[in-house]
Amino acid sequence: MTSSQAKSAIFSSIRENLAKSKPLDVRHQEMIPVPVLVSSGLNLLETFQGSLEQVGAKCTFVEGESEAGHRLREIIKDLSASEILVSDSELVHRIVNAAELDALEDASRDELFAMEVGVTSAQWAIAETGTLVLESGSERHRLVSLVPPVHVCIIRASSIRQSMAEILELVNPDADPTITFITGASRTSDIELTLAIGVHGPGELYVIVIKDQ
Amino acid sequence: MSTTHATAEIFDRNAREALADPVLHGALRNLADSFVIRRRNAIASIDDWEGLRERARSIKDETLLHLDEYLERFTDNATKAGATIHWARDGKEACEIVLGLVRAKNADMVVKAKSMAGEEIHLNEALEAAGIEAVETDLGEWIIQLAGETPSHIVVPAIHKTKQQIADLFVEKVGIEKTDNVDVLTQTARTILRQKFGEARVGISGVNFGVAETGTILILENEGNIRLTTSLTETHIAIMGIEKVIPKFADLDVFLKLLPRSGTGQRLTAYQSLITGVKNNTDDLGPDELHIVMLDNGRSRMLAHPLTRQSLACIRCGACLNACPVYQQVGGHAYGSVYPGPIGAVITPQLFGLSKAKQLPYASSLCGACREVCPVKIDIPALLLHLRSEIADGSPSGNETPTRKLGESLAFRMYSRMWSRSGTYSLSMRAARLMQRFVARDGKIGKVGGMLAVLIPPLGAWTAWRDAPVVAPKSFREMWREKNK
């Protein structure tokens, strides 16, 4: 049987069975609208930082890009890392240059697995959950934010929103084939429900927030 | 352990074996202690949890009532974004489609992210039979694959194993030094599986939600293996049950609030990948091909009744397993199905046939804990009763002769007659008070056997495994009458 024959068989089964059910169905209840919270802006940064700390990520606020460069240098130095992978984000490139760090943008598969730190930006963030939102159309983030054991993410304070509902209004899946939400480091509880960090993705997540000037 | 290959037909035997397994009990104790508490704390962060559940259910109901339209919209939009859609009426067809795609890529190994639909259709066996190595990359799934077992939980597949057993397994299968350090075990898996990720060109995953409005598939996880499976490979094959579709992109908010809280007690899992077709720029990272295999495998049949239809609202969070006093005691393998626990007892007979899982609807005390925690408000106890009555009546979906005995039917008809009139009801109570003297001990009725069990049919069965309460010396009506004399 071809896939299109299977499709029509499945669709007739769906329609036949729904028709059987019809006499038994009670009128379908109305959709209940949910209130959408709008970012107040007041406690957004504090909430974001608190949420990040709850999931074990480290969050620093900086004034401007040059301070962001200092902070990035500090993080890399503390980790004694030398193999740095960056995304194609212009913001990231400016900051890495300002910090006078050697970094690789296009890594081969072998190089990729040897990288120690991946640096990306994020297009949006959610304060309520400490979530970073990365859009593939704006930034090639998929492997940089995933393969190296440490992920550093640089984000502007103005891109932080309160809730997931707001973010789902802002992102556009038509323009961005992959949108990735990241909340903390890679984790698992598969062995005796004991938390273990860094199972497949990064074990550490640093977030540098550039405050608006 | 003999329960590994247990089948759904013999739940009673599987359960008795599981109850006699102290190691299993040790492993399962963690469930109630941590998942149940974590969930309770996580839902406290939502102001209107009940309202959210209602909304989720109404979204699912709306989708299921118009499933053909939403599927059409989802597949159209996914196709427009560059995905290829395949349709499979059953597991065999789905496996054939996947095999064809893997062969077309000349791949002899695939990396797999945890997929319950993949488990349901026994995809690993089909791949292995075709000489293709299927590597499970979720830590729990990899552990049970090494052990040659099946998952015993929807969310934490290796919950039945202790750290000690897992360490022994790693010593035997991958040659590490004996350890009881969970971090060492986890890093061992990371190192070995990274090698596989480096080589693999085809990745297979499941789907949590498919958005009709945009053609997007959303996959949730904590480990990062799904992201690796769907980012490092050239071809991504996603297996999606036809009930996974939801109407709008904005609806994701509701389910992203409910699923992680209900499943693992997190406000959000570490990663969500929202994948809409394939990359639109050759420089971009990620697979060149996305194949979505739409799987029916008995699902469309469940649309035929509003009661059974609600089983399709399930978002596979596992909360009902964690809350279930039966699951907590016997674990997942006793159910003999890829879907264990209360929701498994409901889905398994419907997917694979009532005759193959006749005991599962009885694997419940109908306490209702599952209904209370279900994020989409599935009335599991009502479904279990519905399936029990289908078994008793020998209904068409059961393909079986009725199990209800003539004597039993007569007895229940008699009870119903007697107890719907007050005169005969009090008469029966008076008779019971008289009769129970022979069987009551310390204010309860223990195991009743012999003549009495034959004379009063349900009494023998009822008291075989539990005590029945005695009838009070005086009824409330009698006390009331005396008081007002």
Side-chain angles (χ1 to χ4, degrees), chain B residues 382-396:
Chain B
L383 268 158
L384 291 169
L385 286 174
H386 174 81
L387 292 170
R388 288 181 188 184
S389 80
E390 286 208 341
I391 292 166
D393 293 340
S395 85

Side-chain angles (χ1 to χ4, degrees), chain A residues 37-187:
Chain A
L37 280 171
V38 177
S39 300
S40 61
L42 269 176
N43 296 319
L44 221 48
L45 294 188
E46 259 173 61
T47 311
F48 184 54
Q49 186 178 29
S51 304
L52 279 171
E53 278 165 8
Q54 254 187 18
V55 292
K58 297 174 192 80
C59 174
T60 331
F61 296 105
V62 296
E63 311 275 347
E65 292 181 13
S66 73
E67 209 187 314
H70 287 302
R71 175 67 190 132
L72 179 62
R73 245 190 111 78
E74 230 171 62
I75 293 170
I76 307 268
K77 202 179 141 224
D78 288 348
L79 292 165
S80 356
S82 54
E83 305 297 323
I84 302 157
L85 184 67
V86 291
S87 75
D88 60 345
S89 149
E90 279 174 27
L91 175 70
V92 170
H93 281 218
R94 281 202 304 274
I95 288 168
V96 167
N97 286 339
E100 295 175 352
L101 291 163
D102 280 331
L104 198 62
E105 190 192 319
D106 289 301
S108 70
R109 207 168 260 236
D110 289 339
E111 286 169 327
L112 185 65
F113 284 108
M115 291 290 139
E116 294 167 298
V117 181
V119 188
T120 71
S121 78
Q123 284 61 59
W124 308 104
I126 306 170
E128 234 168 50
T129 47
T131 303
L132 305 164
V133 179
L134 289 84
E135 300 168 332
S136 66
S138 308
E139 179 172 1
R140 292 165 54 188
H141 68 269
R142 292 178 82 162
L143 299 174
V144 189
S145 63
L146 176 63
V147 178
V150 179
H151 176 202
V152 182
C153 182
I154 304 163
I155 181 167
R156 291 189 185 283
S158 58
S159 23
I160 304 174
R161 296 290 181 275
Q162 180 68 25
S163 67
M164 174 67 77
E166 287 170 82
I167 292 300
L168 291 173
E169 293 276 319
L170 287 167
V171 298
N172 178 9
D174 291 333
D176 299 297
T178 301
I179 302 169
T180 311
F181 294 167
I182 298 173
T183 309
S186 154
R187 57 192 61 224

